[in-house]
PDB file of all heavy atoms in Angstrom:
ATOM      1  N   GLY A 191     -35.522-105.955  11.022  1.00  0.00           N
ATOM      2  CA  GLY A 191     -34.530-105.773  12.143  1.00  0.00           C
ATOM      3  C   GLY A 191     -35.185-105.138  13.411  1.00  0.00           C
ATOM      4  O   GLY A 191     -34.816-105.522  14.466  1.00  0.00           O
ATOM      5  N   ALA A 192     -35.974-104.145  13.176  1.00  0.00           N
ATOM      6  CA  ALA A 192     -36.603-103.478  14.401  1.00  0.00           C
ATOM      7  C   ALA A 192     -37.639-104.451  15.021  1.00  0.00           C
ATOM      8  O   ALA A 192     -37.684-104.365  16.280  1.00  0.00           O
ATOM      9  CB  ALA A 192     -37.366-102.256  13.830  1.00  0.00           C
ATOM     10  N   ALA A 193     -38.258-105.317  14.244  1.00  0.00           N
ATOM     11  CA  ALA A 193     -39.177-106.248  14.860  1.00  0.00           C
ATOM     12  C   ALA A 193     -38.508-107.316  15.769  1.00  0.00           C
ATOM     13  O   ALA A 193     -39.025-107.797  16.799  1.00  0.00           O
ATOM     14  CB  ALA A 193     -39.915-107.009  13.773  1.00  0.00           C
ATOM     15  N   GLU A 194     -37.161-107.587  15.438  1.00  0.00           N
ATOM     16  CA  GLU A 194     -36.397-108.529  16.316  1.00  0.00           C
ATOM     17  C   GLU A 194     -36.248-107.965  17.730  1.00  0.00           C
ATOM     18  O   GLU A 194     -36.223-108.692  18.739  1.00  0.00           O
ATOM     19  CB  GLU A 194     -35.103-108.826  15.677  1.00  0.00           C
ATOM     20  CG  GLU A 194     -35.164-109.645  14.360  1.00  0.00           C
ATOM     21  CD  GLU A 194     -33.744-109.932  13.809  1.00  0.00           C
ATOM     22  OE1 GLU A 194     -32.725-109.529  14.482  1.00  0.00           O
ATOM     23  OE2 GLU A 194     -33.674-110.392  12.691  1.00  0.00           O
ATOM     24  N   ARG A 195     -36.074-106.621  17.820  1.00  0.00           N
ATOM     25  CA  ARG A 195     -35.920-106.039  19.076  1.00  0.00           C
ATOM     26  C   ARG A 195     -37.271-105.639  19.745  1.00  0.00           C
ATOM     27  O   ARG A 195     -37.263-105.426  20.906  1.00  0.00           O
ATOM     28  CB  ARG A 195     -35.115-104.651  18.910  1.00  0.00           C
ATOM     29  CG  ARG A 195     -33.675-104.863  18.509  1.00  0.00           C
ATOM     30  CD  ARG A 195     -32.808-105.199  19.657  1.00  0.00           C
ATOM     31  NE  ARG A 195     -32.871-104.280  20.683  1.00  0.00           N
ATOM     32  CZ  ARG A 195     -32.124-103.112  20.800  1.00  0.00           C
ATOM     33  NH1 ARG A 195     -31.232-102.879  19.856  1.00  0.00           N
ATOM     34  NH2 ARG A 195     -32.214-102.330  21.860  1.00  0.00           N
ATOM     35  N   ASN A 196     -38.321-105.665  18.964  1.00  0.00           N
ATOM     36  CA  ASN A 196     -39.645-105.289  19.378  1.00  0.00           C
ATOM     37  C   ASN A 196     -40.682-106.315  18.906  1.00  0.00           C
ATOM     38  O   ASN A 196     -41.447-106.030  18.020  1.00  0.00           O
ATOM     39  CB  ASN A 196     -39.984-103.848  18.930  1.00  0.00           C
ATOM     40  CG  ASN A 196     -39.050-102.754  19.403  1.00  0.00           C
ATOM     41  OD1 ASN A 196     -39.139-102.312  20.563  1.00  0.00           O
ATOM     42  ND2 ASN A 196     -38.123-102.502  18.536  1.00  0.00           N
ATOM     43  N   PRO A 197     -40.611-107.594  19.349  1.00  0.00           N
ATOM     44  CA  PRO A 197     -41.406-108.670  18.780  1.00  0.00           C
ATOM     45  C   PRO A 197     -42.916-108.366  18.871  1.00  0.00           C
ATOM     46  O   PRO A 197     -43.599-108.973  17.983  1.00  0.00           O
ATOM     47  CB  PRO A 197     -41.006-109.818  19.651  1.00  0.00           C
ATOM     48  CG  PRO A 197     -40.405-109.304  20.918  1.00  0.00           C
ATOM     49  CD  PRO A 197     -39.749-108.067  20.423  1.00  0.00           C
ATOM     50  N   GLU A 198     -43.341-107.589  19.739  1.00  0.00           N
ATOM     51  CA  GLU A 198     -44.764-107.248  19.885  1.00  0.00           C
ATOM     52  C   GLU A 198     -45.256-106.482  18.629  1.00  0.00           C
ATOM     53  O   GLU A 198     -46.485-106.350  18.398  1.00  0.00           O
ATOM     54  CB  GLU A 198     -45.112-106.524  21.107  1.00  0.00           C
ATOM     55  CG  GLU A 198     -44.669-105.103  21.152  1.00  0.00           C
ATOM     56  CD  GLU A 198     -43.182-104.853  21.481  1.00  0.00           C
ATOM     57  OE1 GLU A 198     -42.473-105.843  21.508  1.00  0.00           O
ATOM     58  OE2 GLU A 198     -42.784-103.692  21.645  1.00  0.00           O
ATOM     59  N   LEU A 199     -44.276-105.951  17.860  1.00  0.00           N
ATOM     60  CA  LEU A 199     -44.597-105.113  16.672  1.00  0.00           C
ATOM     61  C   LEU A 199     -44.488-105.926  15.366  1.00  0.00           C
ATOM     62  O   LEU A 199     -44.460-105.274  14.308  1.00  0.00           O
ATOM     63  CB  LEU A 199     -43.811-103.878  16.601  1.00  0.00           C
ATOM     64  CG  LEU A 199     -44.003-102.858  17.837  1.00  0.00           C
ATOM     65  CD1 LEU A 199     -42.990-101.744  17.736  1.00  0.00           C
ATOM     66  CD2 LEU A 199     -45.382-102.335  17.858  1.00  0.00           C
ATOM     67  N   THR A 200     -44.075-107.201  15.471  1.00  0.00           N
ATOM     68  CA  THR A 200     -43.833-107.993  14.265  1.00  0.00           C
ATOM     69  C   THR A 200     -44.922-107.799  13.227  1.00  0.00           C
ATOM     70  O   THR A 200     -44.665-107.641  12.003  1.00  0.00           O
ATOM     71  CB  THR A 200     -43.672-109.425  14.592  1.00  0.00           C
ATOM     72  OG1 THR A 200     -42.513-109.521  15.485  1.00  0.00           O
ATOM     73  CG2 THR A 200     -43.297-110.284  13.436  1.00  0.00           C
ATOM     74  N   ASP A 201     -46.135-107.969  13.621  1.00  0.00           N
ATOM     75  CA  ASP A 201     -47.240-107.974  12.540  1.00  0.00           C
ATOM     76  C   ASP A 201     -47.392-106.489  12.029  1.00  0.00           C
ATOM     77  O   ASP A 201     -47.633-106.354  10.885  1.00  0.00           O
ATOM     78  CB  ASP A 201     -48.564-108.396  13.174  1.00  0.00           C
ATOM     79  CG  ASP A 201     -48.624-109.891  13.560  1.00  0.00           C
ATOM     80  OD1 ASP A 201     -47.703-110.639  13.056  1.00  0.00           O
ATOM     81  OD2 ASP A 201     -49.416-110.330  14.257  1.00  0.00           O
ATOM     82  N   ILE A 202     -47.260-105.499  12.834  1.00  0.00           N
ATOM     83  CA  ILE A 202     -47.408-104.096  12.378  1.00  0.00           C
ATOM     84  C   ILE A 202     -46.347-103.758  11.418  1.00  0.00           C
ATOM     85  O   ILE A 202     -46.523-103.226  10.391  1.00  0.00           O
ATOM     86  CB  ILE A 202     -47.543-103.177  13.553  1.00  0.00           C
ATOM     87  CG1 ILE A 202     -48.760-103.383  14.423  1.00  0.00           C
ATOM     88  CG2 ILE A 202     -47.459-101.719  13.049  1.00  0.00           C
ATOM     89  CD1 ILE A 202     -48.806-102.563  15.689  1.00  0.00           C
ATOM     90  N   LEU A 203     -45.105-104.014  11.763  1.00  0.00           N
ATOM     91  CA  LEU A 203     -43.948-103.669  10.971  1.00  0.00           C
ATOM     92  C   LEU A 203     -44.046-104.538   9.684  1.00  0.00           C
ATOM     93  O   LEU A 203     -43.623-104.119   8.681  1.00  0.00           O
ATOM     94  CB  LEU A 203     -42.588-103.881  11.662  1.00  0.00           C
ATOM     95  CG  LEU A 203     -42.374-102.787  12.786  1.00  0.00           C
ATOM     96  CD1 LEU A 203     -41.206-103.312  13.706  1.00  0.00           C
ATOM     97  CD2 LEU A 203     -42.137-101.458  12.259  1.00  0.00           C
ATOM     98  N   GLY A 204     -44.482-105.819   9.786  1.00  0.00           N
ATOM     99  CA  GLY A 204     -44.642-106.674   8.594  1.00  0.00           C
ATOM    100  C   GLY A 204     -45.696-105.988   7.644  1.00  0.00           C
ATOM    101  O   GLY A 204     -45.553-106.110   6.435  1.00  0.00           O
ATOM    102  N   ASP A 205     -46.802-105.412   8.191  1.00  0.00           N
ATOM    103  CA  ASP A 205     -47.722-104.802   7.349  1.00  0.00           C
ATOM    104  C   ASP A 205     -47.176-103.523   6.680  1.00  0.00           C
ATOM    105  O   ASP A 205     -47.497-103.252   5.511  1.00  0.00           O
ATOM    106  CB  ASP A 205     -48.954-104.333   8.205  1.00  0.00           C
ATOM    107  CG  ASP A 205     -49.862-105.522   8.584  1.00  0.00           C
ATOM    108  OD1 ASP A 205     -49.683-106.626   7.985  1.00  0.00           O
ATOM    109  OD2 ASP A 205     -50.672-105.324   9.497  1.00  0.00           O
ATOM    110  N   VAL A 206     -46.370-102.725   7.403  1.00  0.00           N
ATOM    111  CA  VAL A 206     -45.660-101.626   6.868  1.00  0.00           C
ATOM    112  C   VAL A 206     -44.819-102.021   5.586  1.00  0.00           C
ATOM    113  O   VAL A 206     -44.820-101.428   4.534  1.00  0.00           O
ATOM    114  CB  VAL A 206     -44.924-100.802   7.845  1.00  0.00           C
ATOM    115  CG1 VAL A 206     -44.041 -99.697   7.203  1.00  0.00           C
ATOM    116  CG2 VAL A 206     -45.803-100.230   8.916  1.00  0.00           C
ATOM    117  N   ALA A 207     -43.988-103.071   5.873  1.00  0.00           N
ATOM    118  CA  ALA A 207     -43.163-103.587   4.794  1.00  0.00           C
ATOM    119  C   ALA A 207     -43.986-104.098   3.622  1.00  0.00           C
ATOM    120  O   ALA A 207     -43.598-103.793   2.487  1.00  0.00           O
ATOM    121  CB  ALA A 207     -42.246-104.630   5.339  1.00  0.00           C
ATOM    122  N   GLU A 208     -45.036-104.753   3.899  1.00  0.00           N
ATOM    123  CA  GLU A 208     -45.796-105.266   2.769  1.00  0.00           C
ATOM    124  C   GLU A 208     -46.499-104.158   2.032  1.00  0.00           C
ATOM    125  O   GLU A 208     -46.614-104.265   0.757  1.00  0.00           O
ATOM    126  CB  GLU A 208     -46.901-106.251   3.396  1.00  0.00           C
ATOM    127  CG  GLU A 208     -47.672-106.965   2.303  1.00  0.00           C
ATOM    128  CD  GLU A 208     -46.858-107.792   1.341  1.00  0.00           C
ATOM    129  OE1 GLU A 208     -45.686-108.276   1.731  1.00  0.00           O
ATOM    130  OE2 GLU A 208     -47.200-108.053   0.171  1.00  0.00           O
ATOM    131  N   GLY A 209     -46.898-103.141   2.679  1.00  0.00           N
ATOM    132  CA  GLY A 209     -47.471-101.952   2.015  1.00  0.00           C
ATOM    133  C   GLY A 209     -46.402-101.408   1.036  1.00  0.00           C
ATOM    134  O   GLY A 209     -46.718-100.916  -0.059  1.00  0.00           O
ATOM    135  N   GLN A 210     -45.135-101.441   1.357  1.00  0.00           N
ATOM    136  CA  GLN A 210     -44.103-100.888   0.503  1.00  0.00           C
ATOM    137  C   GLN A 210     -43.893-101.829  -0.661  1.00  0.00           C
ATOM    138  O   GLN A 210     -43.703-101.374  -1.833  1.00  0.00           O
ATOM    139  CB  GLN A 210     -42.824-100.793   1.264  1.00  0.00           C
ATOM    140  CG  GLN A 210     -42.734 -99.665   2.295  1.00  0.00           C
ATOM    141  CD  GLN A 210     -42.859 -98.328   1.626  1.00  0.00           C
ATOM    142  OE1 GLN A 210     -41.955 -97.791   1.001  1.00  0.00           O
ATOM    143  NE2 GLN A 210     -43.997 -97.677   1.848  1.00  0.00           N
ATOM    144  N   ARG A 211     -44.102-103.053  -0.524  1.00  0.00           N
ATOM    145  CA  ARG A 211     -43.991-104.036  -1.615  1.00  0.00           C
ATOM    146  C   ARG A 211     -45.153-103.883  -2.588  1.00  0.00           C
ATOM    147  O   ARG A 211     -44.927-104.171  -3.810  1.00  0.00           O
ATOM    148  CB  ARG A 211     -43.917-105.494  -1.095  1.00  0.00           C
ATOM    149  CG  ARG A 211     -42.774-105.800  -0.243  1.00  0.00           C
ATOM    150  CD  ARG A 211     -42.604-107.241   0.182  1.00  0.00           C
ATOM    151  NE  ARG A 211     -41.509-107.566   0.976  1.00  0.00           N
ATOM    152  CZ  ARG A 211     -41.578-107.629   2.348  1.00  0.00           C
ATOM    153  NH1 ARG A 211     -42.797-107.639   2.917  1.00  0.00           N
ATOM    154  NH2 ARG A 211     -40.562-107.909   3.049  1.00  0.00           N
ATOM    155  N   GLN A 212     -46.307-103.436  -2.069  1.00  0.00           N
ATOM    156  CA  GLN A 212     -47.487-103.434  -2.930  1.00  0.00           C
ATOM    157  C   GLN A 212     -47.645-102.107  -3.676  1.00  0.00           C
ATOM    158  O   GLN A 212     -48.157-102.097  -4.767  1.00  0.00           O
ATOM    159  CB  GLN A 212     -48.676-103.789  -2.084  1.00  0.00           C
ATOM    160  CG  GLN A 212     -48.794-105.161  -1.544  1.00  0.00           C
ATOM    161  CD  GLN A 212     -48.691-106.206  -2.546  1.00  0.00           C
ATOM    162  OE1 GLN A 212     -49.315-106.076  -3.642  1.00  0.00           O
ATOM    163  NE2 GLN A 212     -47.976-107.293  -2.253  1.00  0.00           N
ATOM    164  N   HIS A 213     -47.290-100.999  -3.046  1.00  0.00           N
ATOM    165  CA  HIS A 213     -47.586 -99.620  -3.575  1.00  0.00           C
ATOM    166  C   HIS A 213     -46.327 -99.226  -4.388  1.00  0.00           C
ATOM    167  O   HIS A 213     -45.345 -98.766  -3.797  1.00  0.00           O
ATOM    168  CB  HIS A 213     -47.825 -98.666  -2.431  1.00  0.00           C
ATOM    169  CG  HIS A 213     -48.383 -97.333  -3.125  1.00  0.00           C
ATOM    170  ND1 HIS A 213     -49.723 -96.996  -2.901  1.00  0.00           N
ATOM    171  CD2 HIS A 213     -47.870 -96.354  -3.748  1.00  0.00           C
ATOM    172  CE1 HIS A 213     -49.931 -95.844  -3.448  1.00  0.00           C
ATOM    173  NE2 HIS A 213     -48.811 -95.468  -4.005  1.00  0.00           N
TER     174      HIS A 213
END
Side-chain angles (χ1 to χ4, degrees):
E194 290 178 10
R195 294 281 303 274
N196 304 274
E198 74 280 7
L199 298 175
T200 298
D201 289 344
I202 294 175
L203 290 168
D205 286 345
V206 173
E208 188 57 29
Q210 290 296 291
R211 296 185 183 101
Q212 297 300 322
H213 194 108

